[in-house]
């Protein structure tokens, strides 16, 4: 077992390896991540009104985020494939800041954490918004992607205490 503060994806020789989780107990694991995309007010209005010529931007971004959570181990080299039991994607519009917040909660019952799935889903959800709106706003900025909370496993419950209280769209 690694000592506190050690990186677990390196062996004693300093070589990258996939962590052996075979002896860990299976527990319910939940992780929530979020991030924002800032855009021009006119771009936000197109998304909010559903009048973007490419269609339902947030609906497509929701599906993309779910797909990304399911494919995380294909994208992150040493990430274990996990059987997801739930993926919840929520978008919040902040007209004052001209942003869309993507919050993703992933759940599994397994031997390793699910943080990477939630973080990957947020990034892909935001990238999908960018992709669908880049024709009208190339200057969009994705910011503040971070883990908000994780529950389960040996390390227990962790939270930033910064879960958004913005109304959901």
């Amino acid at each position: 077992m690694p000592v506190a503060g050690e990186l677990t994806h390196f062996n004693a020789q300093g070589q990258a390896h996939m962590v052996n989780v075979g002896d860990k107990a299976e527990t319910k694991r939940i992780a929530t991540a979020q991030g924002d995309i800032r855009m021009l007010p006119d771009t936000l209005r197109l998304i909010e009104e559903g009048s973007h010529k490419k269609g339902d931007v947030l609906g497509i971004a929701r599906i993309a985020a779910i797909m990304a959570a399911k494919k995380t181990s294909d994208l992150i080299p040493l990430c274990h494939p996990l059987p997801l039991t739930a993926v919840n994607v929520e978008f919040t519009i902040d007209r004052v800041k001209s942003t869309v917040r993507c919050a993703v909660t992933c759940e599994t019952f397994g031997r390793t954490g699910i943080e990477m799935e939630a973080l990957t889903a947020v990034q892909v959800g935001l990238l999908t918004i960018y992709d669908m709106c880049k024709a009208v706003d190339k200057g969009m900025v994705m910011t503040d992607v971070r883990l908000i909370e994780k529950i389960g496993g040996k390390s227990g419950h962790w939270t930033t205490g910064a879960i958004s209280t913005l109304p959901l769209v």
Side-chain angles (χ1 to χ4, degrees), residues 18-168:
M18 184 180 242
V19 175
N20 183 348
V21 297
D23 292 334
K24 291 173 78 177
E26 287 193 347
T27 62
K28 183 172 186 174
R29 295 162 185 268
I30 303 169
T32 300
Q34 71 181 31
D36 301 329
I37 185 166
R38 189 175 60 246
M39 62 195 67
L40 296 172
D42 287 343
T43 307
L44 185 63
R45 196 169 13 267
L46 286 174
I47 292 170
E48 197 170 16
E49 294 172 354
S51 58
H52 192 291
K53 68 180 182 177
K54 287 189 176 182
D56 180 6
V57 172
L58 298 183
I60 302 291
R62 180 175 285 106
I63 297 299
I66 292 167
M67 291 174 64
K70 293 167 62 174
K71 292 290 191 178
T72 299
S73 66
D74 292 337
L75 300 169
I76 309 297
L78 300 174
C79 192
H80 289 83
L82 297 177
L84 299 172
T85 57
V87 178
N88 183 45
V89 181
E90 297 187 13
F91 294 101
T92 307
I93 291 176
D94 183 333
R95 290 179 200 92
V96 173
K97 293 181 181 176
S98 197
T99 61
V100 176
R101 172 163 290 159
C102 178
V104 178
T105 299
C106 294
E107 297 184 27
T108 191
F109 191 82
R111 295 183 169 157
T112 190
I114 195 159
E115 298 92 344
M116 294 308 298
E117 286 72 11
L119 287 161
T120 301
V122 167
Q123 288 283 35
V124 171
L126 296 175
L127 285 167
T128 301
I129 292 170
Y130 185 93
D131 181 51
M132 291 190 72
C133 297
K134 69 183 183 281
V136 296
D137 187 356
K138 289 181 180 29
M140 291 175 281
V141 176
M142 290 162 270
T143 66
D144 299 320
V145 174
R146 62 199 178 277
L147 183 67
I148 298 300
E149 183 175 34
K150 70 108 56 230
I151 299 168
K154 184 175 143 186
S155 61
H157 185 210
W158 178 91
T159 183
T160 63
I163 296 174
S164 169
T165 57
L166 295 172
L168 300 177

